[in-house]
Structures are given as structure tokens and as C-alpha cells.
Amino acid sequence: MTNKIQLHPSWLTYLEEEFSKPYMQALKAFLVEEKVEGKQILPPSSLWFNALNTTPLQEVKVVILGQDPYPTVGHAHGLCFSVQPEVKPLPKSLKNIYKELQEDIAIDNSHTGYLQPWAEQGVLLLNAVLTVEAGKTNAHQGKGWEIFTDKIIEIVNQQCEHVVFVLWGSYAQKKASMIDETKHLVLKSPHPSPLSAYRGFWGSKPFSKINSYLAQHHKKQIDWQL
């Protein structure tokens, strides 16, 4: 993987050894086999590490954890919950995130689902699984990506100070045990999916809480307007 994919030096310093480990070799073999069988892998390989390349380690202020990429061709681009600029209608979970954003701090982002500007301000939009087969949600779960992304969470926890970890839903909340809550803020709520948003995602006010915490620790707040 490293021979084809460029990883930002700030991350490569801590992650380079991962690429030679057995789990990563097995993951690489799996992905190669998928391609040989003619299956389409999303997003394109140049975007697998988009979250890390857009948000260098030293710039991480917020981590939002997703599950795996959108399985619709043309949607995923390596940032959780985000879609390419031209995608309409927006995914339902993202619509609900925007609804809460508007309720929380009166920002309307309904014109676009492209969250790249958030990532460029220090919001690490990390999926636990970085690839998916086109048309098949969760097709690449349990193949090794989770070990790699757990390592990323561990690195942020250890190397950064005063980061806000946003854990939406039970899948993301399992990662809470990896985070030192004496040096970081962990925000937990139900997932913004239409299936669970009504259980407490509405009214959770994550965006104002994030900016309040950043201000408290003398960090530049996130401009959530896209």
C-alpha cells in the first residue's frame, strides 16, 4: 500500500510500521483479490487516506468517527459522513447532522454535503473502515482496517492535547475506552441516522460544545459554515 499511496509525514512517522504487519499484509491481499475479481472498491485508492492527508496530526482538534464509506459510486471521498460536492440528495444521516447544526448554532449547510473545509480546520473525519465494495455496506468490515484506525485513535490520544472526540452511536462509543478523558473531551450521543436520532441526538448540541471546549483551551474554533 505504501508504494502507491502517499501519507502525510506527520502520520507516517507513527504509522509506517503498521504497513509491514501481518494484518495489513492480509488486508492488502484481500483488496487486491477483490480487484482481481472485478469488484469496485470505494473510494478510489487515492482517497483512502484523505482524512489523514487533509488533517495532519499536529492540527487535529476534533475527531468525528464514522463506520465505513458510502457504498454508492461517486459519494465517498475518504471523509466520514461527507460526500462529493455534486451529490444530491444528501445522505439521511448527514441531513440530520445539518438539522442539529442549525438548531445548535443556526448554520444552514444544506446546499452541500462536502465536509472537506471542516477537515482542513482540524476536524479528523475518520471512518473505522476505510474501504467498501460498491453497493455493499460493511463489506470490508473485519478485514483489518479497524486495527489500523484504532491505532490512529491511540496516536491522537497520546500525541495531542485537548481534542474533542465525537462518538455517535454504539459502534463509535466502543472506542471511548481508548481515550484519556482527563486530557480530552469525549462527546457521546445516539447516531444521527433516522433510525436512532430521536433517541437523543436531537438537542445534543455537539457543535457549540466543541467550540466552547476549544475556546476554553485557547484553540481556534471551527467555522462550521460551508
Side-chain angles (χ1 to χ4, degrees), residues 182-193:
T182 66
K183 63 186 279 198
H184 304 294
L185 176 64
V186 177
L187 297 180
K188 299 178 192 174
S189 82
H191 196 276
S193 154

Side-chain angles (χ1 to χ4, degrees), residues 14-170:
Y14 296 96
L15 289 169
E16 192 164 18
E17 289 182 6
E18 298 301 302
F19 289 94
S20 59
K21 290 182 177 178
Y23 84 86
M24 188 59 87
Q25 294 299 313
L27 172 59
K28 182 178 180 180
F30 164 74
L31 293 169
V32 168
E33 184 62 25
E34 291 284 282
K35 284 188 176 179
V36 168
E37 292 178 7
K39 295 174 181 175
Q40 186 173 2
I41 296 173
L42 303 176
S45 58
S46 61
L47 293 172
W48 290 354
F49 302 112
N50 188 24
L52 301 178
N53 288 330
T54 304
T55 314
L57 176 59
Q58 67 275 10
E59 294 177 21
V60 175
K61 300 176 185 175
V62 181
V63 178
I64 297 179
L65 194 67
Q67 202 154 340
D68 70 339
Y70 295 117
T72 305
V73 176
H75 284 207
H77 64 109
L79 304 180
C80 72
F81 295 106
S82 183
V83 289
Q84 296 279 17
E86 64 279 3
V87 172
K88 287 286 189 315
L90 300 179
K92 290 175 182 176
S93 290
L94 183 56
K95 278 186 180 176
N96 284 344
I97 290 169
Y98 282 176
K99 185 177 175 184
E100 180 61 21
L101 177 66
Q102 179 133 31
E103 288 289 320
D104 186 5
I105 52 175
I107 284 176
D108 180 1
N109 280 340
S110 57
H111 59 287
T112 181
Y114 189 61
L115 305 182
Q116 192 85 16
W118 291 3
E120 290 167 1
Q121 295 178 73
V123 182
L124 182 64
L125 295 167
L126 183 67
N127 274 317
V129 177
L130 300 185
T131 58
V132 72
E133 182 185 341
K136 291 192 176 179
T137 303
N138 300 334
H140 293 178
Q141 281 196 359
K143 302 298 183 183
W145 279 128
E146 294 93 337
I147 301 171
F148 183 74
T149 55
D150 278 359
K151 181 68 177 179
I152 293 167
I153 295 168
E154 183 184 304
I155 291 164
V156 174
N157 179 58
Q158 291 175 350
Q159 301 301 322
C160 301
E161 297 287 336
H162 309 307
V163 170
V164 185
F165 288 84
V166 181
L167 308 180
W168 286 330
S170 57

